[in-house]
Amino acid sequence: MSTEELAQIPSNTTLQRDGDVQISKKARMWIAAVLLILAVAAGSIISVRETLGEFTEQSPLINSADTGFVFISACLVMLMTPGLALFYGGMVRKKNVLGTMMQSFVALGIASFIWVAYGYSLAFGPDVNHLIGNLDWAMLQNVTLSPNPSYSRTIPHQLFMIFQMMFACLTPALITGAFAGRFKFKAYIMFLILWLTFVYCPLAHWVWGDGGWIKNLGGLDFAGGLVVHIGSGAAALASCLVLGKRTGYKKEAMPPHNLTLTFIGACLLWFGWFGFNAGSALSAGSLAISAFVTTQVAAGMGIIAWCLTEWANRGKSTVLGALSGAIAGLVAVTPAAGFVTPTAAMVIGFLAGSICYFAVSLKSKFDYDDSLDVVGIHGVGGILGSLLVGVFATVLINPDGANGLIHGSWHLLWVQIISTAASIVFSFCGTWLILKILGRCTELRITEKQEMKGLDITQHSENCYRL
């Protein structure tokens, strides 16, 4: 550096070599990593006293068949998140494949950590004012290998925890289809952490937690209509409105780049859904079989309804339409799977296939850019299924449920309306607020130039295809 250049530097400026800056950044990264490891280790030391004895002697209350069944179901639900990554990855343009898949896949890591650290305790821990759990179960303290009677009397408490963890991994991944192709990865990570903490955990406690107000009210959600699908659908709508439309939306074609990937992903989702719904019975018994049957027939009727509706409106039935119909049927039957008969499930699946088709078609009229139809399928399908629980539910299938409208009771339908409305409002407003606050701290969207290049290159420096 010349004397003239040195003279132009302000006196309070500290000169530093490039190598020093690199070392400083690496040092900060290592310090953060060490602190994270120490925090996890400290939590493990705290909780080991509560669980150590359980490793040496199995509780006599544990049923091996139920434990094995829920264990396999948890594995199936875990498979749904990579399946969703393929499902979404095939529907975007080829420049966004890896970026879209990464948004789903990284949720497995972030959500797993949050769930163990404090998420499970907030969602299912001892109740605070019927709104949230406390932190008594943070770092799995008091979450032992013995059953917890509040949730299941025949499987280890930790197995119930890990089963619910898979739902927490999948739900925020569903939202990503709404803003595919335009969310910065770093901003998405922050959004993922905040959304799981302040939206998913409270909502899960309301519906499933011991003492949650929707559960106390009598609201029924067998496997996630309120928590997973309405929660993600309402969040998807808020995300679309805050982030805005894709560059070129309605001006250029944006067809799916590889429907084969989408087909494989849909099949994995359907397969995993049996663990999602049947596994929510938490035992290898008649209720699980009933949920398995209703899941299958609803998905099948969803395919039929979507294809017929598409054929009537467009003159052709498409592969993407058939896949969408199956997902719509699965979404709608999720809250009802363990409360309704197979005949009722067929009606639910058929209605979902038709109604979700029109819901997806209407997004252009309402002028919001839901890239992969999360609102139309998961949001609308979840709402439909939750309301139809109030129509078709019967205690003949599940004595722990209630009778719906066609079985002589208006009360359950009214409760389902309240529960559904509360879930929509809470998830939409919570997501909107998170994104608005986050937007003041960092940029949410990639730039227009980056959007033209695609997420794969700009966010991950990778290409899905090298031809």
Side-chain angles (χ1 to χ4, degrees):
M1 185 178 292
S2 66
T3 305
E4 291 79 5
E5 290 172 327
L6 285 171
Q8 294 175 0
I9 299 176
S11 58
N12 61 347
T13 300
T14 301
L15 294 177
Q16 193 172 33
R17 295 190 303 272
D18 291 341
D20 294 334
V21 175
Q22 293 288 342
I23 293 172
S24 177
K25 288 182 179 179
K26 289 181 179 179
R28 288 197 296 269
M29 290 176 62
W30 277 108
I31 291 170
V34 169
L35 290 175
L36 181 61
I37 293 170
L38 289 174
V40 173
S44 300
I45 292 170
I46 291 171
S47 62
V48 71
R49 294 172 299 174
E50 306 293 336
T51 60
L52 186 59
E54 305 295 336
F55 283 96
T56 59
E57 184 177 355
Q58 178 173 300
S59 169
L61 299 176
I62 290 176
N63 182 287
S64 297
D66 293 347
T67 299
F69 172 69
V70 178
F71 177 82
I72 293 171
S73 296
C75 294
L76 290 174
V77 181
M78 179 271 164
L79 186 65
M80 293 177 73
T81 302
L84 182 72
L86 291 171
F87 183 72
Y88 281 171
M91 286 197 286
V92 297
R93 290 175 286 181
K94 62 182 180 180
K95 63 184 179 181
N96 294 321
V97 181
L98 296 178
T100 301
M101 293 173 69
M102 182 62 167
Q103 288 177 348
S104 293
F105 193 71
V106 76
L108 282 170
I110 301 294
S112 295
F113 173 76
I114 288 176
W115 202 244
V116 170
Y118 60 85
Y120 178 67
S121 190
L122 292 178
F124 291 91
D127 179 69
V128 178
N129 298 322
H130 311 299
L131 297 175
I132 195 71
N134 64 23
L135 293 175
D136 285 358
W137 295 353
M139 297 306 299
L140 303 189
Q141 185 178 4
N142 303 313
V143 182
T144 71
L145 294 177
S146 294
N148 184 309
S150 297
Y151 300 111
S152 175
R153 296 180 180 274
T154 61
I155 66 171
H157 191 186
Q158 285 192 13
L159 178 58
F160 176 79
M161 178 277 301
I162 202 88
F163 180 67
Q164 292 297 335
M165 177 193 287
M166 302 311 172
F167 286 69
C169 292
L170 176 66
T171 306
L174 291 171
I175 304 170
T176 64
F179 48 68
R182 54 199 192 273
F183 210 150
K184 270 192 170 183
F185 185 68
K186 291 180 181 179
Y188 168 69
I189 295 296
M190 290 185 276
F191 167 75
L192 179 60
I193 295 169
L194 294 172
W195 194 85
L196 280 168
T197 303
F198 295 106
V199 178
Y200 184 85
C201 289
L203 188 56
H205 186 80
W206 293 2
V207 178
W208 292 326
D210 187 24
W213 74 267
I214 288 179
K215 186 176 183 179
N216 288 348
L217 187 66
L220 298 180
D221 182 6
F222 190 72
L226 294 170
V227 180
V228 177
H229 298 297
I230 292 178
S232 62
L237 181 58
S239 301
C240 293
L241 297 178
V242 173
L243 286 167
K245 304 177 184 67
R246 287 167 289 178
T247 301
Y249 179 65
K250 287 187 177 181
K251 297 178 181 178
E252 59 182 89
M254 300 180 184
H257 92 284
N258 190 336
L259 283 178
T260 303
L261 282 182
T262 300
F263 184 89
I264 295 170
C267 292
L268 289 173
L269 283 170
W270 191 338
F271 181 61
W273 226 292
F274 293 124
F276 199 85
N277 286 358
S280 293
L282 300 177
S283 64
S286 58
L287 184 59
I289 299 302
S290 178
F292 191 107
V293 173
T294 55
T295 299
Q296 176 66 23
V297 297
M301 293 305 293
I303 294 174
I304 294 171
W306 192 295
C307 288
L308 286 175
T309 308
E310 190 174 37
W311 175 78
N313 282 272
R314 300 179 57 189
K316 293 180 181 179
S317 299
T318 64
V319 173
L320 181 58
L323 298 176
S324 300
I327 300 301
L330 290 165
V331 167
V333 81
T334 292
F339 300 116
V340 302
T341 65
T343 304
M346 293 176 72
V347 176
I348 291 171
F350 192 87
L351 290 174
S354 298
I355 292 173
C356 289
Y357 172 85
F358 288 113
V360 169
S361 303
L362 288 173
K363 69 178 182 180
S364 59
K365 289 189 176 181
F366 288 102
D367 200 30
Y368 66 91
D369 183 11
D370 177 11
S371 304
L372 306 181
D373 302 323
V374 183
V375 178
I377 293 178
H378 293 276
V380 173
I383 292 169
L384 178 68
S386 182
L387 296 178
L388 290 179
V389 170
V391 176
F392 293 114
T394 171
V395 294
L396 297 176
I397 295 296
N398 190 342
D400 293 330
N403 283 324
L405 183 61
I406 67 170
H407 295 283
S409 175
W410 282 88
H411 177 71
L412 180 60
L413 179 58
W414 176 242
V415 169
Q416 291 301 112
I417 292 172
I418 295 173
S419 303
T420 300
S423 299
I424 294 170
V425 171
F426 178 70
S427 182
F428 180 88
C429 294
T431 305
W432 180 285
L433 187 61
I434 287 170
L435 288 172
K436 286 294 185 179
I437 294 173
L438 196 56
R440 290 183 174 274
C441 302
T442 186
E443 292 182 358
L444 299 179
R445 280 191 67 147
I446 58 177
T447 65
E448 184 175 341
K449 185 176 180 180
Q450 289 174 326
E451 194 172 341
M452 298 302 292
K453 290 182 178 179
L455 295 177
D456 296 2
I457 287 294
T458 61
Q459 303 301 296
H460 305 290
S461 298
E462 295 176 301
N463 265 323
C464 185
Y465 302 104
R466 294 188 181 275
L467 302 177

